[in-house]
Amino acid sequence: DGGITQSPKYLFRKEGQNVTLSCEQNLNHDAMYWYRQDPGQGLRLIYYSQIVNDFQKGDIAEGYSVSREKKESFPLTVTSAQKNPTAFYLCASSIGAGNTDTQYFGPGTRLTVL
Amino acid sequence: AQSVTQLDSQVPVFEEAPVELRCNYSSSVSVYLFWYVQYPNQGLQLLLKYLSGSTLVKGINGFEAEFNKSQTSFHLRKPSVHISDTAEYFCAVSGGDKIIFGKGTRLHILP
């Protein structure tokens, strides 16, 4: 089955700790994205990558970092610099970064800072 | 610059009644429009999209949407809803360098 997997489903973090969220896809898609979802706010773009070894900041990149060393993988690190990291994080991919390309989403990771 | 507005944050509707979820957009360039659905504690999945051609677009699960360029709208409709349609629905617009999502509309199905 082709798709996008995110792990873990739930993640708890103490203040001051960095955590890394995993995102893997086997759809052979070039483009990958990370979104943050808060109640009533919709989806906000954190980072995106159009191709391996390249990525760009989205609208709310501060306090986050990413890497794209493999086509299949796009991990997101939430650093201690992120002031309010508790949220639902969604990873997505698309065949390309074109305007008509459908994005396919993973099941999400819910991060809670204790 | 582009923006998208979903006019209702929540919509309650009785089972088997029709529903319309409203979406308006603004853009200085040609746009492509999408509706996604998110079931509780899941990711989003595509319901339908408008790229070009016929302004009436049919999607999965009996949903359809109509692109209205003069009113800059892309409202989502279903003639008869089912309890399984309980979800959050997101309108999205693409046309510049990235896709912009609306804030979502929660559809509550009443028995």
Side-chain angles (χ1 to χ4, degrees):
Chain A
D1 272 345
I4 302 178
T5 57
Q6 291 185 243
S7 61
K9 189 171 178 63
Y10 298 96
L11 185 57
F12 298 89
R13 187 194 94 173
K14 292 181 180 179
E15 283 200 30
Q17 288 182 334
N18 293 354
V19 289
T20 298
L21 282 58
S22 168
C23 177
E24 303 277 332
Q25 55 100 356
N26 61 3
L27 299 167
N28 199 32
H29 285 172
D30 282 321
M32 297 187 74
Y33 311 81
W34 273 107
Y35 293 93
R36 171 179 171 141
Q37 185 177 20
D38 297 282
Q41 300 256 5
L43 276 69
R44 292 183 289 169
L45 182 64
I46 304 173
Y47 269 97
Y48 64 103
S49 168
Q50 295 179 314
I51 200 167
V52 175
N53 292 322
D54 187 47
F55 49 83
Q56 287 81 40
K57 293 181 179 180
D59 300 316
I60 56 165
E62 185 176 349
Y64 300 96
S65 66
V66 294
S67 63
R68 186 87 187 277
E69 296 176 2
K70 298 188 299 182
K71 188 175 186 176
E72 302 80 17
S73 179
F74 191 40
L76 174 74
T77 296
V78 184
T79 74
S80 57
Q82 170 49 235
K83 299 302 179 195
N84 185 21
T86 294
F88 190 52
Y89 291 87
L90 287 163
C91 179
S93 71
S94 59
I95 193 164
N99 292 330
T100 61
D101 293 328
T102 298
Q103 292 192 13
Y104 294 83
F105 286 80
T109 292
R110 190 167 297 280
L111 173 63
T112 303
V113 174
L114 303 173
Chain B
Q2 303 160 102
S3 68
V4 58
T5 303
Q6 292 185 242
L7 297 161
D8 304 296
S9 60
Q10 299 191 62
V11 172
V13 62
F14 287 103
E15 197 169 10
E16 298 184 7
V19 68
E20 178 179 84
L21 305 183
R22 298 180 293 168
C23 173
N24 286 90
Y25 68 92
S26 67
S27 177
S28 56
V29 298
S30 295
V31 295
Y32 307 99
L33 295 153
F34 304 78
W35 275 100
Y36 285 84
V37 60
Q38 183 180 33
Y39 298 104
N41 295 310
Q42 295 185 26
L44 280 68
Q45 64 181 87
L46 182 73
L47 270 179
L48 49 81
K49 62 182 178 182
Y50 171 78
L51 302 182
S52 65
S54 172
T55 57
L56 183 63
V57 181
K58 293 191 183 297
I60 62 171
N61 301 340
F63 284 92
E64 63 182 32
E66 185 154 22
F67 172 60
N68 188 320
K69 189 174 181 179
S70 63
Q71 296 187 8
T72 61
S73 68
F74 190 55
H75 301 333
L76 181 70
R77 300 186 185 101
K78 186 170 182 177
S80 175
V81 296
H82 188 266
I83 193 75
S84 60
D85 293 321
T86 298
E88 190 160 19
Y89 294 78
F90 292 91
C91 182
V93 59
S94 172
D97 58 350
K98 59 179 183 248
I99 188 170
I100 306 293
F101 287 87
K103 294 190 175 183
T105 298
R106 286 195 180 275
L107 180 59
H108 296 281
I109 309 299
L110 307 171

